[in-house]
Amino acid sequence: WSGSGSWAGRSASEALLEPLVRAYARDRGRLHEIALLMDELAKTETGSSILPEGWAAVWGPIQEALGWEADE
């Protein structure tokens, strides 16, 4: 923690990438719960505004992979 609101120069979205990938490998059910929350947040401007900058670039591929699984 740098004390300036970021984790050692990494954006909040980048800091979340590793735990999300780990959850994808170990417990995808948790990611489905996160997907439901993200859908709810995206419905409002206030909800969307609390997501960290760059979130879509991190979450998008994971959400896409989860969607592919649902199609199988």
Side-chain angles (χ1 to χ4, degrees), residues 2-26:
S2 68
S4 64
S6 67
W7 290 94
R10 293 176 21 179
S11 74
S13 293
E14 290 171 340
L16 291 170
L17 178 60
E18 185 177 345
L20 289 170
V21 171
R22 190 177 311 120
Y24 184 84
R26 296 181 184 168

Side-chain angles (χ1 to χ4, degrees), residues 34-47:
I34 292 170
L36 293 173
L37 176 61
M38 296 298 102
D39 289 345
E40 287 298 313
L41 288 173
K43 290 179 182 179
T44 67
E45 187 175 322
T46 302

